[in-house]
Amino acid sequence: MDLLKITNLGKKDLKDLLKKTDILKEKKIRGKPHKELESKSVGLLFEEPSTRTRISFSVGCSDLGMHSLYLKEEDLQIRRGENIKDTGNVISRYLDSLVIRALDHQKIKKLAQHSTIPIINAMSKKYHPCQAIADLYTIKEKKDQLRDLKFAWIGDANNVCNSNILGNSMMDIETRIASPKGYEPEKKVIKEAQKYQGDIKIFNDPYKAVEDSDIIYTDVWISTGDDRDPSEIKQDFKEFKVTQELVNQAKPDAIVMHCMPIKGNEITREVVESTQSVIYDQAENRLHTEKALLLKLLKQN
Ligand code: CP
């Protein structure tokens, strides 16, 4: 089984994975060994920079007793034209799984088609499923539940937003998206979320979207690989910055999330460093949820 998008997991798989994360996090905190995947090898192929995903997968593999290899696309023969089919076939003979970050989602899909090992999407231009799993875990950890919560996404309806829309719908969280006109989420993603009876509301006014919300989430306005004019984007998004004034429109105990890195246009430092911010816990949870994911995908192999 691959993880190209969060819906590759069933609802039950996702719930089990979040439960397993509790156990793994507890073990990590208490310093209890949990080398449950000893002798397995994972490739970490990054075509784009990464702090959280790269480090959390590397440390997670080590915690589970696995061997991880950091691979840069420019060091592989893919860069010199070796095709995806041959690459997929060959890496499947050496590795037990491949974690890949590539902007081109079709490339990750094609690699998965030609590999016999689980392929994990570590972020493409379309989806960021590992982020959304950690986000759901963080919400559950902070709110003690997932059902009946209101999640307000403020800003660009990007890959992280797509994955949150799908993940929230799987877990019965209402998703409100506030984006400038023309930057709303893709209809295809909304349609898929609706298969899970996902309650999705689209706004062009961030103040309306956050009203009575439990979670406020934002991300950079200009994502990796975005070729839109930066000054035009900044102008279009200027009303979509997460400020304390905006946060104050949500429930008093609302939490503020950001997948990082923070660029500063999209959120004030005051909010990042406020007591309502769970941003650093959210980043930490990447480690714990990715370990649960590796166990889910590799223990059955
Ligand atoms: N959130 C996230 O994926 O961070 P990195 O780009 O640093 O991996």
Side-chain angles (χ1 to χ4, degrees):
M1 178 180 161
D2 302 303
L3 184 83
L4 306 186
K5 54 180 177 175
I6 194 166
T7 49
N8 291 150
L9 295 166
K11 269 186 171 189
K12 185 180 176 306
D13 291 334
L14 186 51
K15 280 185 187 159
D16 290 348
L17 197 154
L18 299 180
K19 274 189 209 147
K20 182 69 184 176
T21 303
D22 273 334
I23 298 166
L24 292 166
K25 185 166 181 176
E26 181 73 13
K27 284 186 176 166
K28 176 79 178 175
I29 290 166
R30 295 195 180 282
K32 284 191 180 168
H34 45 286
K35 299 195 179 300
E36 296 182 42
L37 289 175
E38 247 168 355
S39 84
K40 302 270 187 195
S41 295
V42 171
L44 308 175
L45 173 54
F46 283 77
E47 293 186 9
E48 296 296 328
S50 166
T51 297
R52 280 140 291 273
T53 312
R54 177 182 169 185
I55 299 175
S56 55
F57 265 111
S58 304
V59 174
C61 288
S62 163
D63 287 352
L64 292 170
M66 305 170 80
H67 176 57
S68 68
L69 297 92
Y70 177 63
L71 306 164
K72 286 195 285 184
E73 196 226 29
E74 67 234 46
D75 297 333
L76 301 181
Q77 296 289 6
I78 301 177
R79 179 54 66 93
R80 289 173 63 219
E82 185 166 27
N83 68 38
I84 298 287
K85 186 173 182 179
D86 290 346
T87 305
N89 268 309
V90 171
I91 60 162
S92 300
R93 307 287 175 112
Y94 306 133
L95 299 170
D96 295 290
S97 180
L98 181 79
V99 173
I100 172 169
R101 171 169 289 193
L103 291 180
D104 181 357
H105 189 73
Q106 291 309 317
K107 183 175 182 177
I108 302 181
K109 255 176 108 169
K110 197 167 171 193
L111 190 63
Q113 275 161 11
H114 294 293
S115 304
T116 54
I117 53 171
I119 302 295
I120 299 174
N121 176 2
M123 196 190 87
S124 67
K125 214 168 170 183
K126 200 158 167 68
Y127 299 113
H128 197 350
C130 298
Q131 181 65 54
I133 296 170
D135 296 342
L136 286 170
Y137 182 77
T138 307
I139 295 169
K140 188 166 173 272
E141 192 176 48
K142 303 295 174 189
K143 294 282 172 197
D144 283 329
Q145 66 181 75
L146 285 174
R147 290 182 77 88
D148 303 323
L149 294 172
K150 295 181 179 71
F151 173 110
W153 176 279
I154 310 299
D156 191 22
N158 61 13
N159 49 1
V160 177
C161 179
N162 287 342
S163 293
N164 281 134
I165 291 172
L166 295 174
N168 289 350
S169 299
M170 291 171 81
M171 294 292 110
D172 300 312
I173 298 175
E174 178 184 320
T175 311
R176 299 149 170 215
I177 317 288
S179 306
K181 276 195 186 0
Y183 293 92
E184 294 91 349
E186 278 179 50
K187 287 200 172 63
K188 199 176 151 201
V189 174
I190 305 286
K191 211 170 156 191
E192 181 170 7
Q194 281 164 345
K195 284 191 206 151
Y196 296 90
Q197 280 83 48
D199 190 357
I200 299 145
K201 296 186 169 76
I202 310 289
F203 297 81
N204 296 120
D205 178 350
Y207 282 81
K208 286 215 166 72
V210 300
E211 235 170 59
D212 201 33
S213 286
D214 302 279
I215 302 128
I216 298 172
Y217 199 126
T218 192
D219 190 8
V220 289
W221 296 340
I222 304 165
S223 304
T224 319
D226 197 334
D227 47 17
R228 298 173 296 189
D229 177 358
S231 56
E232 208 173 285
I233 292 179
K234 280 184 193 156
Q235 180 62 26
D236 291 347
F237 280 86
K238 68 180 192 306
E239 306 299 330
F240 290 79
K241 189 179 189 117
V242 175
T243 60
Q244 193 58 49
E245 191 195 342
L246 182 73
V247 172
N248 291 345
Q249 306 306 308
K251 286 184 181 162
D253 63 348
I255 56 171
V256 177
M257 302 180 76
H258 189 309
C259 56
M260 304 181 92
I262 295 161
K263 295 283 169 67
N265 290 315
E266 71 279 10
I267 188 167
T268 63
R269 275 322 288 185
E270 183 193 10
V271 175
V272 172
E273 287 163 23
S274 71
T275 52
Q276 285 174 272
S277 163
V278 299
I279 293 171
Y280 300 117
D281 291 341
Q282 184 187 352
E284 178 191 328
N285 286 335
R286 294 290 305 275
L287 169 67
H288 309 300
T289 48
E290 283 157 12
K291 283 157 67 177
L293 175 67
L294 287 166
L295 279 166
K296 163 80 197 143
L297 298 181
L298 293 185
K299 262 222 152 158
Q300 62 204 13
N301 281 350

